PDB file of all heavy atoms in Angstrom:
ATOM      1  N   LEU T1027     -74.016  53.551-160.744  1.00  0.00           N
ATOM      2  CA  LEU T1027     -72.976  52.827-160.015  1.00  0.00           C
ATOM      3  C   LEU T1027     -72.968  51.352-160.386  1.00  0.00           C
ATOM      4  O   LEU T1027     -71.906  50.764-160.586  1.00  0.00           O
ATOM      5  CB  LEU T1027     -73.158  52.994-158.503  1.00  0.00           C
ATOM      6  CG  LEU T1027     -72.167  52.226-157.639  1.00  0.00           C
ATOM      7  CD1 LEU T1027     -70.726  52.660-157.914  1.00  0.00           C
ATOM      8  CD2 LEU T1027     -72.506  52.384-156.165  1.00  0.00           C
ATOM      9  N   ASP T1028     -74.135  50.752-160.503  1.00  0.00           N
ATOM     10  CA  ASP T1028     -74.216  49.343-160.887  1.00  0.00           C
ATOM     11  C   ASP T1028     -73.544  49.118-162.241  1.00  0.00           C
ATOM     12  O   ASP T1028     -72.745  48.196-162.408  1.00  0.00           O
ATOM     13  CB  ASP T1028     -75.682  48.897-160.913  1.00  0.00           C
ATOM     14  CG  ASP T1028     -75.836  47.422-161.199  1.00  0.00           C
ATOM     15  OD1 ASP T1028     -75.152  46.617-160.530  1.00  0.00           O
ATOM     16  OD2 ASP T1028     -76.645  47.068-162.095  1.00  0.00           O
ATOM     17  N   ALA T1029     -73.838  49.987-163.203  1.00  0.00           N
ATOM     18  CA  ALA T1029     -73.239  49.870-164.530  1.00  0.00           C
ATOM     19  C   ALA T1029     -71.729  50.124-164.479  1.00  0.00           C
ATOM     20  O   ALA T1029     -70.958  49.431-165.143  1.00  0.00           O
ATOM     21  CB  ALA T1029     -73.914  50.838-165.496  1.00  0.00           C
ATOM     22  N   VAL T1030     -71.306  51.106-163.690  1.00  0.00           N
ATOM     23  CA  VAL T1030     -69.881  51.417-163.551  1.00  0.00           C
ATOM     24  C   VAL T1030     -69.138  50.223-162.969  1.00  0.00           C
ATOM     25  O   VAL T1030     -68.077  49.827-163.467  1.00  0.00           O
ATOM     26  CB  VAL T1030     -69.671  52.667-162.668  1.00  0.00           C
ATOM     27  CG1 VAL T1030     -68.222  52.800-162.225  1.00  0.00           C
ATOM     28  CG2 VAL T1030     -70.110  53.917-163.410  1.00  0.00           C
ATOM     29  N   GLU T1031     -69.677  49.625-161.908  1.00  0.00           N
ATOM     30  CA  GLU T1031     -69.012  48.485-161.271  1.00  0.00           C
ATOM     31  C   GLU T1031     -68.886  47.304-162.231  1.00  0.00           C
ATOM     32  O   GLU T1031     -67.852  46.627-162.249  1.00  0.00           O
ATOM     33  CB  GLU T1031     -69.768  48.074-160.010  1.00  0.00           C
ATOM     34  CG  GLU T1031     -69.587  49.048-158.869  1.00  0.00           C
ATOM     35  CD  GLU T1031     -70.332  48.645-157.611  1.00  0.00           C
ATOM     36  OE1 GLU T1031     -71.500  48.187-157.707  1.00  0.00           O
ATOM     37  OE2 GLU T1031     -69.742  48.784-156.531  1.00  0.00           O
ATOM     38  N   LYS T1032     -69.909  47.058-163.028  1.00  0.00           N
ATOM     39  CA  LYS T1032     -69.836  45.956-163.995  1.00  0.00           C
ATOM     40  C   LYS T1032     -68.754  46.221-165.032  1.00  0.00           C
ATOM     41  O   LYS T1032     -67.981  45.328-165.376  1.00  0.00           O
ATOM     42  CB  LYS T1032     -71.193  45.754-164.676  1.00  0.00           C
ATOM     43  CG  LYS T1032     -72.209  45.115-163.775  1.00  0.00           C
ATOM     44  CD  LYS T1032     -73.560  44.994-164.453  1.00  0.00           C
ATOM     45  CE  LYS T1032     -74.577  44.436-163.465  1.00  0.00           C
ATOM     46  NZ  LYS T1032     -75.940  44.479-164.014  1.00  0.00           N
ATOM     47  N   ARG T1033     -68.706  47.437-165.531  1.00  0.00           N
ATOM     48  CA  ARG T1033     -67.725  47.761-166.565  1.00  0.00           C
ATOM     49  C   ARG T1033     -66.308  47.816-165.990  1.00  0.00           C
ATOM     50  O   ARG T1033     -65.346  47.441-166.651  1.00  0.00           O
ATOM     51  CB  ARG T1033     -68.068  49.091-167.225  1.00  0.00           C
ATOM     52  CG  ARG T1033     -67.235  49.334-168.465  1.00  0.00           C
ATOM     53  CD  ARG T1033     -67.615  50.557-169.219  1.00  0.00           C
ATOM     54  NE  ARG T1033     -68.882  50.411-169.895  1.00  0.00           N
ATOM     55  CZ  ARG T1033     -69.428  51.377-170.614  1.00  0.00           C
ATOM     56  NH1 ARG T1033     -68.825  52.542-170.723  1.00  0.00           N
ATOM     57  NH2 ARG T1033     -70.583  51.192-171.215  1.00  0.00           N
ATOM     58  N   ALA T1034     -66.157  48.265-164.749  1.00  0.00           N
ATOM     59  CA  ALA T1034     -64.830  48.412-164.139  1.00  0.00           C
ATOM     60  C   ALA T1034     -64.205  47.068-163.781  1.00  0.00           C
ATOM     61  O   ALA T1034     -62.992  46.960-163.718  1.00  0.00           O
ATOM     62  CB  ALA T1034     -64.924  49.287-162.893  1.00  0.00           C
ATOM     63  N   ALA T1035     -65.024  46.064-163.529  1.00  0.00           N
ATOM     64  CA  ALA T1035     -64.532  44.716-163.196  1.00  0.00           C
ATOM     65  C   ALA T1035     -63.501  44.742-162.072  1.00  0.00           C
ATOM     66  O   ALA T1035     -62.436  44.133-162.169  1.00  0.00           O
ATOM     67  CB  ALA T1035     -63.970  44.039-164.450  1.00  0.00           C
ATOM     68  N   GLY T1036     -63.789  45.487-161.016  1.00  0.00           N
ATOM     69  CA  GLY T1036     -62.920  45.510-159.844  1.00  0.00           C
ATOM     70  C   GLY T1036     -61.818  46.549-159.880  1.00  0.00           C
ATOM     71  O   GLY T1036     -61.134  46.758-158.881  1.00  0.00           O
ATOM     72  N   ARG T1037     -61.608  47.187-161.012  1.00  0.00           N
ATOM     73  CA  ARG T1037     -60.561  48.217-161.117  1.00  0.00           C
ATOM     74  C   ARG T1037     -61.099  49.543-160.583  1.00  0.00           C
ATOM     75  O   ARG T1037     -62.267  49.861-160.758  1.00  0.00           O
ATOM     76  CB  ARG T1037     -60.128  48.382-162.569  1.00  0.00           C
ATOM     77  CG  ARG T1037     -59.534  47.098-163.153  1.00  0.00           C
ATOM     78  CD  ARG T1037     -59.326  47.210-164.633  1.00  0.00           C
ATOM     79  NE  ARG T1037     -60.654  47.287-165.273  1.00  0.00           N
ATOM     80  CZ  ARG T1037     -60.848  47.509-166.565  1.00  0.00           C
ATOM     81  NH1 ARG T1037     -59.819  47.701-167.370  1.00  0.00           N
ATOM     82  NH2 ARG T1037     -62.073  47.562-167.068  1.00  0.00           N
ATOM     83  N   PRO T1038     -60.272  50.341-159.945  1.00  0.00           N
ATOM     84  CA  PRO T1038     -60.731  51.626-159.406  1.00  0.00           C
ATOM     85  C   PRO T1038     -61.060  52.617-160.520  1.00  0.00           C
ATOM     86  O   PRO T1038     -60.351  52.708-161.519  1.00  0.00           O
ATOM     87  CB  PRO T1038     -59.555  52.112-158.559  1.00  0.00           C
ATOM     88  CG  PRO T1038     -58.376  51.377-159.081  1.00  0.00           C
ATOM     89  CD  PRO T1038     -58.869  50.077-159.628  1.00  0.00           C
ATOM     90  N   VAL T1039     -62.132  53.351-160.335  1.00  0.00           N
ATOM     91  CA  VAL T1039     -62.635  54.275-161.351  1.00  0.00           C
ATOM     92  C   VAL T1039     -62.356  55.716-160.931  1.00  0.00           C
ATOM     93  O   VAL T1039     -62.602  56.099-159.789  1.00  0.00           O
ATOM     94  CB  VAL T1039     -64.153  54.064-161.544  1.00  0.00           C
ATOM     95  CG1 VAL T1039     -64.729  55.076-162.524  1.00  0.00           C
ATOM     96  CG2 VAL T1039     -64.428  52.633-162.002  1.00  0.00           C
TER      97      VAL T1039
END
Side-chain angles (χ1 to χ4, degrees):
L1027 177 60
D1028 184 50
V1030 166
E1031 287 180 318
K1032 286 177 184 172
R1033 191 175 289 179
R1037 299 171 293 174
V1039 176

